[in-house]
Amino acid sequence: MLLFAGNIARCLITVRRDMDHSADIIRCLGFVTLNAAYVEEAIDSVMERLLFVVEKRKGQNRWPSTKKADWCINALRSFDSDELRPLVRLLEQAKEALEQRHEYIHGRIYTEHDRSISLKSGREGVPDREITAKELAELSDKLFDLQAAIPCVNYFASMREIEQRLTSR
């Protein structure tokens, strides 16, 4: 009986370690989700600013954030302003980070028997791969930095460009 109890205890300890490791992944995935939502809000704020001078398209408010980022990038490039290039670069980085987020959010995460964590894509032809809490934490940090920078970087430069366009109409 004592041997049986020892085996159960070892199994429970192993399961608990796996749960701790999985909890790190889930916690980081939650931060990725939260910070990505803030990046989406930042993209929306840039788009709202640009709508003063760039024609709105039907259903634009319901576009995915990556499409909104593309629209903002194209609108900002049409201004042909060196001052706005940093904002364009940030929006390009945001689009890339949101696409990475998409991979994690729409993929399926499994704990394997060797205690590794695998990401299985819902897309055909995309191979499974191992993921770590570290890579999710890095993406979360990148998204956090982007959400803080996008609405602020070159705000006055973009407003000057918008004002120039409005007064030249």
Side-chain angles (χ1 to χ4, degrees), residues 7-8 21-22 27 35 38 44 48 55 64 68 72 109 122-123 136 147-148 153:
N7 285 338
I8 289 176
H21 186 58
S22 296
R27 188 177 306 111
N35 289 328
Y38 293 135
D44 286 343
E48 287 172 19
E55 187 177 327
K68 289 177 181 179
C72 291
I109 298 173
R123 294 184 176 155
L136 286 167
Q147 65 86 24
V153 73

Side-chain angles (χ1 to χ4, degrees), residues 133-144:
K134 181 182 180 213
E135 73 183 83
L136 286 167
E138 288 170 354
L139 178 58
S140 175
D141 290 346
K142 181 178 185 177
L143 288 162
F144 180 83

Side-chain angles (χ1 to χ4, degrees), residues 37 62 117 122 147 166:
R62 292 187 308 275
I117 308 280
Q147 65 86 24
L166 287 172

Side-chain angles (χ1 to χ4, degrees), residues 21-34:
H21 186 58
S22 296
D24 291 341
I25 294 275
I26 300 306
R27 188 177 306 111
C28 290
L29 187 61
F31 282 116
V32 165
T33 305
L34 180 66

Side-chain angles (χ1 to χ4, degrees), residues 52-90:
F52 285 109
V53 291
V54 181
E55 187 177 327
K56 185 175 181 175
R57 296 187 184 162
K58 185 176 181 181
Q60 190 167 350
N61 291 340
R62 292 187 308 275
W63 286 354
S65 292
T66 52
K67 187 173 180 178
K68 289 177 181 179
D70 275 335
W71 182 90
C72 291
I73 290 166
N74 291 330
L76 290 166
R77 284 186 177 145
S78 74
F79 291 166
D80 197 31
S81 167
D82 289 340
E83 282 186 290
L84 295 175
R85 285 193 183 133
L87 180 54
V88 168
R89 279 193 296 278
L90 282 173

